[in-house]
Amino acid sequence: SICYSIITSVFAATAFLLSWAAAFGCSFLSFTSTSGFTRPVTIQFGIWSYQFWTVATSVGGSIIFETCHRYPSDMEADPYLRS
């Protein structure tokens, strides 16, 4: 029926857009470490980028910026990443 076709098309388009958005950000894979820290620390990786922190210090204090950085072009890929 037409209703079934429309619903499946909407679900397929939504799944595609959500997976596409996750691939370009830093949140494709996420690991949370609780050992050695007072609060849990989450590290995130994307297919083409990774999470990076920069500390900016001034007279008033320090600010931590969280950004996504592309992997370097000279990064060696292991055999599992290449296949």
Side-chain angles (χ1 to χ4, degrees):
S1 79
I2 291 180
C3 183
Y4 178 76
S5 177
I6 291 172
I7 290 173
T8 56
S9 297
V10 167
F11 277 125
T14 303
F16 175 76
L17 291 174
L18 290 175
S19 65
W20 182 72
F24 285 104
C26 289
S27 59
F28 190 74
L29 291 173
S30 180
F31 300 99
T32 301
S33 175
T34 56
S35 63
F37 301 102
T38 56
R39 293 185 300 181
V41 173
T42 301
I43 301 171
Q44 298 178 341
F45 301 92
I47 295 176
W48 293 284
S49 59
Y50 62 95
Q51 186 179 30
F52 188 80
W53 293 279
T54 304
V55 178
T57 307
S58 67
V59 177
S62 298
I63 298 174
I64 300 175
F65 294 99
E66 181 181 331
T67 59
C68 287
H69 284 232
R70 287 200 166 284
Y71 292 112
S73 59
D74 60 345
M75 184 183 105
E76 296 263 342
D78 64 359
Y80 295 108
L81 187 59
R82 289 184 191 147
S83 60

